[in-house]
Amino acid sequence: MRNKPRHEHWGSQIGVVLAVAGSAVGLGNFLRFPGQVVNYGGGAFMIPYVVSLLLVAIPISMSEWALGRFAGRHGYHSPLGMYYVASGRKRGWGIVGGMSMCVPFVIDMYYIFVEAWCLFYALKYLGGMLEPIGLGFTLGSGDFAGMRLGSGDEYERFFNATTGANQNGALFSRAGAPLLATTIFCVAINFLLVYRGVSKGIEKFSKRVAPLILLCALIMIIRVATLGNPLGRPGQSFLDGLGFMWNPTRDVYNASGEIIGRASVWTSLLNPETWLAATAQIFYSVSICICAVCTYASYVRPKDDIALSGLSATATNEFCEVVLGGLMAIPPAIMFLGSRAADGFSSSFQLGFIVLPNVFELMPLGQLCGFVFFFLLFSASVTSSMSLVLPVVAFFREAFRCSRGASVLLGAAIHLVGAFIVIWFTKGLTALDTYDFWFANFAPFLFAIFQTGLAAFVWGTAKLREEIALGSKIKPPTFLAFVVKYLSFPYLVVIAIFWASKNLKGRVLATMQDYVAQLSIGFFLLLLAFLFTLSVVTIRRWRAEGISDGYGIQTEKEDNSRS
Amino acid sequence: MTWGGWVSMTASLAIVIGLFGWCCYKLVVTRETQDADAPEESTER
């Protein structure tokens, strides 16, 4: 039975910009970016970062906007329909689009769990329970007394106990129940916001939360910048903190901690890993090719501007990352903990959930800052995770032609099955790490190659240029399509090959040796088989019915004449 | 903080704030045109 939904659209241009920017702004901006800058040459890292922004982020994101709006105009809102219609209704491309749905599907399964950590920490700070005396109370163990203040031990133990990193199934015990309840709450609000629709749910929420994120970040930056040198120790002032992050030349230490030389700008720039890290960061940060941007763009009105909207969303994300993320996390860690805090900069989780709580403990008004910081992370995470729920819901609506409510329920049910693996197998956070590596790092690179190849070589640069220019309120550069085809695509392929050669073998071996990782991959293969079957069946039905529109509104003939 | 640090930080912030500011300006300037297109009400359920 055909259930023909009416078309949805964004209410305003500002709304869509904030929603897309909100989708991109997340933990990567505030925790991953500063850590990467410190680890890959400070200020020198910014050169490959800006090059990647210009060659990868802006052109590929623009092509994703164009593909999305083109598909939306034909009534398709999921990547399945987008790949299918942009490729000239090729079955193979449609199936690739359908399979790319595994990315938002799986990322959301662990991302909402991390989102729940942020909310949980924010509530703990708000309730005044994330103090040394409160740790024993919170965990019910009472064995935290006498631990070194600011050593990281307390918060590391708190983090491990809270997230269940010590043993599997910990969240299903009495001690883990609060975080489990928080996780269920986060899943519910994500699906509820998507159920309310693009304009009434996602757009309204993004418009309210974006200023809140900015306000929280400004409070944090002002607090940090006005502290001076709080402990009065040499090398631990606000400027020293900034220098630790941004200085392009730095001392090189040997294994025993002695200075053995000084790395120059060129040392960083001539290291391929710096370029790899910069591209991966921009990729991760702008949320390219994880099906979020194209799905959001498919709800833009046919003649609305996408050039300015796309550029504004990327610019907003970059503002949050470089300006807010760059000033907020590292300087206070250096000011209060000194350079020993640098051990925690390589991992986002360690910086956010272990190093910074130590800093808040020592900082005047630290409890308030702790609440503001984790509430900021939570708000940014919700806007990101709901952008991953929408493609899933859109996909089911197209595949089953069911109502929004039914797709939301189906998406939530499958989500809970996959999320159960992450929530149960918490020991060492192995399941979460496995999902994170394969779906937030590997799969987006892979599907970016497919998507950029589709836009540049199958759909074609002429259509790409035409689509970007349609309704544009700024003059998009005419060479943009050329850049996508001859610079972004090869750059992406080279980086992906280099990245895979560096990381893939080790990860495959690690996955083969751990049963939890194997289970996670097993679930993924099942999901992939499900997506494949559903894509094949849906395309077959579209072809059998002779319709070209996702909702069966226009005929093949009409569509061809329009093209 | 070294001179190199100041230069890299200032240049990075200038590029990003410049791009963000330009986009905000353009969004505000073109908002009237956008509003004129808006009467097509959202038809979501």
Side-chain angles (χ1 to χ4, degrees):
Chain A
M1 181 70 67
R2 186 176 297 172
N3 180 355
K4 185 173 140 184
R6 284 172 287 175
H7 290 284
E8 289 181 71
H9 293 295
W10 297 101
S12 67
Q13 188 176 19
I14 298 288
V16 65
V17 168
L18 290 178
V20 176
S23 153
V25 174
L27 299 179
N29 297 68
F30 301 114
L31 298 178
R32 195 174 187 272
F33 170 74
Q36 293 292 90
V37 176
V38 169
N39 291 324
Y40 289 97
F45 176 83
M46 293 310 290
I47 294 173
Y49 181 85
V50 171
V51 170
S52 301
L53 173 69
L54 298 175
L55 286 189
V56 176
I58 294 175
I60 295 182
S61 149
M62 211 58 91
S63 70
E64 195 167 346
W65 274 84
L67 280 171
R69 188 180 62 178
F70 177 76
R73 208 164 55 232
H74 290 78
Y76 295 99
H77 296 288
S78 80
L80 166 67
M82 184 185 84
Y83 275 64
Y84 181 64
V85 74
S87 65
R89 294 165 218 297
K90 299 278 192 303
R91 187 201 308 263
W93 278 105
I95 292 170
V96 171
M99 308 261 277
S100 73
M101 284 300 306
C102 68
V103 177
F105 235 128
V106 181
I107 292 181
D108 229 20
M109 286 168 187
Y110 74 87
Y111 198 85
I112 295 183
F113 185 40
V114 178
E115 187 177 305
W117 300 353
C118 299
L119 179 60
F120 188 78
Y121 268 66
L123 293 174
K124 286 286 170 197
Y125 273 108
L126 189 66
M129 283 192 273
L130 215 60
E131 293 293 329
I133 197 165
L135 287 170
F137 170 77
T138 307
L139 302 176
S141 58
D143 59 349
F144 290 90
M147 298 198 68
R148 275 191 304 131
L149 194 67
S151 65
D153 292 348
E154 293 158 352
Y155 288 104
E156 191 164 359
R157 290 179 67 181
F158 178 75
F159 175 74
N160 289 340
T162 303
T163 58
N166 293 327
Q167 63 177 67
N168 291 332
L171 261 65
F172 292 85
S173 67
R174 199 173 168 183
L179 182 61
L180 185 64
T182 314
T183 308
I184 293 169
F185 171 75
C186 289
V187 173
I189 55 167
N190 271 280
F191 281 89
L192 194 67
L193 282 167
V194 172
Y195 173 71
R196 283 185 57 78
V198 168
S199 176
K200 287 182 186 165
I202 295 172
E203 185 175 349
K204 241 182 200 174
F205 184 78
S206 301
K207 274 181 164 176
R208 280 168 175 72
V209 163
L212 207 60
I213 292 175
L214 199 64
L215 181 71
C216 290
L218 285 176
I219 291 174
M220 282 295 297
I221 289 172
I222 291 170
R223 173 72 285 209
V224 170
T226 52
L227 283 168
N229 188 337
L231 303 183
R233 293 179 189 154
Q236 288 189 213
S237 68
F238 177 63
L239 279 184
D240 291 319
L242 285 181
F244 192 86
M245 179 160 170
W246 293 102
N247 286 345
T249 52
R250 50 197 57 217
D251 295 331
V252 179
Y253 298 88
N254 65 10
S256 52
E258 295 158 349
I259 296 174
I260 52 170
R262 198 162 175 78
S264 70
V265 177
W266 293 108
T267 316
S268 303
L269 287 183
L270 294 175
N271 180 4
E273 278 190 34
T274 308
W275 290 82
L276 184 67
T279 309
Q281 174 58 32
I282 205 93
F283 208 85
Y284 187 87
S285 162
V286 183
S287 302
I288 307 170
C289 303
I290 57 169
C291 305
V293 173
C294 59
T295 307
Y296 274 7
S298 73
Y299 292 99
V300 170
R301 285 194 175 83
K303 287 185 181 172
D304 273 1
D305 171 274
I306 55 167
L308 181 58
S309 300
L311 193 61
S312 302
T314 307
T316 308
N317 175 65
E318 287 309 304
F319 178 83
C320 289
E321 180 153 298
V322 180
V323 180
L324 306 182
L327 299 178
M328 201 166 60
I330 302 289
I334 296 298
M335 288 156 77
F336 287 97
L337 304 178
S339 55
R340 72 192 161 95
D343 293 341
F345 293 167
S346 55
S347 151
S348 303
F349 292 159
Q350 207 169 350
L351 174 60
F353 295 95
I354 297 169
V355 175
L356 288 177
N358 271 288
V359 172
F360 297 139
E361 186 171 297
L362 300 168
M363 185 189 280
L365 293 177
Q367 191 181 330
L368 175 69
C369 287
F371 167 72
V372 169
F373 179 75
F374 283 107
F375 188 72
L376 158 79
L377 289 187
F378 168 69
S379 309
S381 306
V382 176
T383 52
S384 300
S385 58
M386 69 184 179
S387 74
L388 299 171
V389 172
L390 186 66
V392 173
V393 170
F395 176 70
F396 286 140
R397 288 188 85 184
E398 281 176 14
F400 294 114
R401 289 215 183 121
C402 54
S403 67
R404 189 194 299 152
S407 346
V408 165
L409 281 178
L410 184 58
I414 297 175
H415 173 93
L416 287 175
V417 174
F420 179 78
I421 295 176
V422 178
I423 294 170
W424 180 270
F425 294 102
T426 47
K427 189 174 180 185
L429 301 177
T430 311
L432 191 149
D433 276 346
T434 308
Y435 278 8
D436 182 56
F437 176 80
W438 291 105
F439 300 99
N441 292 292
F442 177 72
F445 261 121
L446 185 69
F447 286 111
I449 292 173
F450 280 118
Q451 189 179 293
T452 313
L454 171 72
F457 297 98
V458 181
W459 197 37
T461 48
K463 280 186 183 169
L464 179 60
R465 202 167 35 234
E466 210 174 279
E467 188 68 33
I468 293 172
L470 181 67
S472 174
K473 301 206 167 58
I474 57 172
K475 196 181 170 194
T478 47
F479 57 82
L480 197 67
F482 175 87
V483 171
V484 171
K485 188 172 184 176
Y486 295 107
L487 289 175
S488 309
F489 184 75
Y491 187 81
L492 206 56
V493 171
V494 169
I495 291 287
I497 291 171
F498 186 67
W499 180 87
S501 68
K502 186 176 177 295
N503 296 292
L504 209 53
K505 193 179 170 191
R507 269 298 174 153
V508 170
L509 290 175
T511 305
M512 304 269 278
Q513 285 166 1
D514 190 289
Y515 80 96
V516 174
Q518 286 171 4
L519 186 73
S520 310
I521 294 296
F523 171 74
F524 158 66
L525 292 175
L526 270 179
L527 181 67
L528 214 55
F530 171 69
L531 292 173
F532 177 82
T533 312
L534 203 53
S535 304
V536 169
V537 170
T538 306
I539 292 172
R540 186 173 292 168
R541 194 190 63 225
W542 282 341
R543 291 186 158 202
E545 291 175 354
I547 57 167
S548 61
D549 185 291
Y551 300 136
I553 292 167
Q554 62 190 99
T555 64
E556 189 84 51
K557 194 178 169 188
E558 282 168 347
D559 182 66
N560 285 338
S561 65
R562 185 182 286 194
S563 300
Chain B
M1 181 114 149
T2 62
W3 277 109
W6 277 112
V7 169
S8 60
M9 187 180 82
T10 312
S12 303
L13 296 188
I15 290 172
V16 170
I17 293 173
L19 182 63
F20 180 68
W22 184 82
C23 287
C24 287
Y25 167 74
K26 281 287 177 187
L27 280 173
V28 171
V29 164
T30 58
R31 196 169 176 183
E32 275 186 23
T33 324
Q34 182 70 26
D35 288 344
D37 295 341
E40 253 184 90
E41 281 297 314
S42 172
T43 54
E44 65 180 320
R45 287 191 296 181

